Amino acid sequence: MGKIRATALAAATLALAGCGAFIPGGNGTAAPGAASQSGRSPARPATSVAATAYSPAPRAEDARCLADLGASGARFDPLPDTYAAPGCNKLGTVKLMALAGDRAPLSLANLGPVRCGVAKAFGDWARFGVDRAARQLLGSPVARIETMGSYSCRNVAGTERRSAHARAEAIDVSAFVLADGRRIVLRRDWNSGDAATREFLRVVHQSACKRFGTVLGPEYNSAHEDHFHLEGTGARFCR
């Protein structure tokens, strides 16, 4: 049994050592176009006493996603898998620090752990849907995207069903800050902004519907009047 355990441990160690080729900041070669990383070990997210975190070798689909995310120019740290409560987990998640714009990086505010696939869709939307729309319609690129968070162990309001936030599969976006200093706020500007600002918000909403599985905005209900709820991938529901 001792030899079996030693062999298993050695195999697991080799598998983890191979992750550097996929993870920006690892010991392997970074994917083409990936932004350089700090090289420090990923910070473990805060968890409750009952939460269990571990760092297995990445699943094949997660490894591919990390490579794609790095190639997109995003700056991020992979996070350990964590189970916090029934239906609440952070599996294959990353901590995004910045996304690539056409001309400059886009900073992020208040964003927690996000599933890698959702992070990749978010990065594509931010660059090709948000940044370009801002330059074309508002005359300035986007500098920062403000969010109301991502992971949260909670149910869908008024139900017993876990929210996509409980699996780190959703992001709530509340505002955009332009390079020229203007701040576009969903709650204030969806209906009351000037014509160009209102058009910008509707364009980026429709762009999100092409990349995320579920997109909810101010016209869905009063609970979403101050943010876009961007959930999963593979278009299913847009309102």
Side-chain angles (χ1 to χ4, degrees):
M1 289 298 291
K3 290 183 178 180
I4 293 174
R5 289 177 180 172
T7 301
L9 179 59
T13 301
L14 287 172
L16 286 171
C19 296
F22 297 102
I23 301 173
N27 293 325
T29 302
S36 62
Q37 300 293 300
S38 64
R40 65 185 182 280
S41 299
R44 291 178 177 268
T47 59
S48 65
V49 175
T52 301
Y54 62 99
S55 299
R59 293 166 288 276
E61 63 271 22
D62 291 336
R64 288 192 296 270
C65 183
L66 291 173
D68 290 343
L69 187 60
S72 75
R75 291 197 298 108
F76 64 93
D77 281 333
L79 298 174
D81 287 352
T82 301
Y83 290 91
C88 294
N89 59 69
K90 289 170 278 187
L91 306 180
T93 62
V94 299
K95 172 65 177 178
L96 285 172
M97 277 79 80
L99 300 171
D102 277 343
R103 300 177 180 176
L106 309 179
S107 65
L108 303 167
N110 305 318
L111 190 61
V114 183
R115 282 294 299 262
C116 181
V118 176
K120 179 61 169 59
F122 188 59
D124 290 344
W125 173 70
R127 180 174 185 176
F128 303 116
V130 177
D131 192 34
R132 292 185 181 180
R135 285 192 285 110
Q136 292 170 7
L137 298 172
L138 302 175
S140 173
V142 171
R144 183 172 74 250
I145 298 177
E146 297 182 356
T147 82
M148 300 168 70
S150 49
Y151 173 77
S152 178
C153 183
R154 67 173 189 258
N155 293 341
V156 175
T159 76
E160 296 299 317
R161 180 168 55 89
R162 286 296 193 195
S163 166
H165 287 286
R167 302 181 301 277
E169 292 179 344
I171 299 171
D172 290 340
V173 173
S174 58
F176 306 91
V177 178
L178 306 185
D180 65 10
R182 280 177 289 172
R183 185 167 176 262
I184 312 300
V185 181
L186 264 290
R187 180 189 291 276
R188 180 190 67 206
D189 295 322
W190 181 261
N191 290 316
S192 300
D194 60 37
T197 297
R198 296 196 307 272
E199 182 180 4
F200 165 75
L201 290 174
R202 282 155 179 79
V203 166
V204 299
H205 176 267
Q206 287 302 311
S207 177
C209 292
K210 299 175 183 178
R211 290 181 166 83
F212 296 95
T214 297
V215 177
L216 306 176
E219 293 185 0
Y220 179 59
N221 61 19
S222 60
H224 294 83
E225 66 181 2
D226 59 354
H227 68 278
F228 293 143
H229 171 89
L230 311 176
E231 174 184 334
T233 57
R236 294 186 301 274
F237 186 81
C238 174
R239 184 71 61 81

